Amino acid sequence: EDQVTQSPEALRLQEGESSSLNCSYTVSGLRGLFWYRQDPGKGPEFLFTLYSAGEEKEKERLKATLTKKESFLHITAPKPEDSATYLCAVQAGGSNYKLTFGKGTLLTVNP
Amino acid sequence: EAGVAQSPRYKIIEKRQSVAFWCNPISGHATLYWYQQILGQGPKLLIQFQNNGVVDDSQLPKDRFSAERLKGVDSTLKIQPAKLEDSAVYLCASSRLQGANTGELFFGEGSRLTVL
């Protein structure tokens, strides 16, 4: 069974204090790993897709990286508007494109 | 481009009652998903449709949950009878056929169900 574990469960940063979120996974034949952002009371919003180890994607202050066992979401000089829950999901080969999500990391950035 | 529409946004029922949620996906999106998100958890796939057909319903509790997608567009998810543990946010998502492989799903705002 596919498993996704995210850490930490919650992270509190000061504005401008860079950090990383971790997503470790166990999947039979990774087809893709995905990062989503979820604001309170909203549905998840797609951020990135990573397909193979060594791949990196960037968007504003966010950079996602992938190894054979885990992915990191690096947040550089965060702002209060980056506060949200960040969800990681994996898609296994032959899975009918089903996404298996982790529990997420709740990020709070204080001004 | 209009997003994924869901209704109702909130519903409170007593256990053993029934409830139905409606979803209208983004126009032209072939794939539609229903996810259940319990407080503090990540979304869990309940059912996935490709046009009219069911692709995956392996995690749908079929003794109480049912879903249909009419004419490959709108979808309804029904729970009958509801249990306390069904309290959750029910998220509908859609994707283009190719989007299903990129993992780019477009989610609605969800329907929050409270079972008392």
Side-chain angles (χ1 to χ4, degrees), chain B residues 104-115:
Chain B
E104 185 172 6
L105 274 57
F106 295 83
F107 283 85
E109 294 195 323
S111 294
R112 181 178 297 276
L113 174 65
T114 301
V115 182

Side-chain angles (χ1 to χ4, degrees), chain A residues 3 8 10 12 20 32 38 41 48 56-57 59-60 64 68-69 71 75 81 86-87 90 101-102 104 111:
Chain A
Q3 286 194 328
R12 190 177 293 271
S20 296
Q38 186 171 26
F48 303 111
E56 297 183 354
K57 293 278 179 71
K59 181 179 181 179
E60 296 181 355
K68 289 188 176 180
K69 293 185 177 180
S71 176
I75 304 174
E81 53 261 43
Y86 290 86
L87 295 165
V90 297
F101 283 86

Side-chain angles (χ1 to χ4, degrees), chain A residues 47-99:
Chain A
L47 291 173
F48 303 111
T49 303
L50 300 167
Y51 291 108
S52 56
E55 189 174 359
E56 297 183 354
K57 293 278 179 71
E58 284 190 66
K59 181 179 181 179
E60 296 181 355
R61 295 175 293 281
L62 301 176
K63 183 169 81 172
T65 61
L66 180 64
T67 72
K68 289 188 176 180
K69 293 185 177 180
E70 57 192 348
S71 176
F72 293 93
L73 185 65
H74 307 277
I75 304 174
T76 302
K79 298 182 177 182
E81 53 261 43
D82 294 322
S83 296
T85 295
Y86 290 86
L87 295 165
C88 172
V90 297
Q91 189 178 73
S95 65
N96 290 321
Y97 306 114
K98 169 186 169 182
L99 296 189

Side-chain angles (χ1 to χ4, degrees), chain B residues 2-70:
Chain B
V4 175
Q6 290 188 246
S7 67
R9 287 295 315 278
Y10 306 93
K11 189 73 176 180
I12 300 174
I13 62 173
E14 297 194 348
K15 60 183 179 183
R16 291 188 290 273
Q17 287 187 324
S18 63
V19 62
F21 302 112
W22 172 82
C23 172
N24 181 236
I26 293 173
S27 177
H29 280 194
T31 310
L32 185 147
Y33 314 77
W34 283 101
Y35 280 85
Q36 180 193 57
Q37 187 172 26
I38 294 172
L39 186 65
Q41 305 285 319
K44 182 183 87 171
L45 179 68
L46 292 176
I47 189 167
Q48 176 182 339
F49 293 95
Q50 184 80 18
N51 297 311
N52 284 342
V54 175
V55 174
D56 188 333
D57 63 356
S58 58
Q59 298 187 101
L60 186 73
K62 298 180 184 65
D63 58 334
R64 298 183 299 106
F65 285 65
S66 64
E68 61 179 1
R69 188 176 186 192
L70 306 173

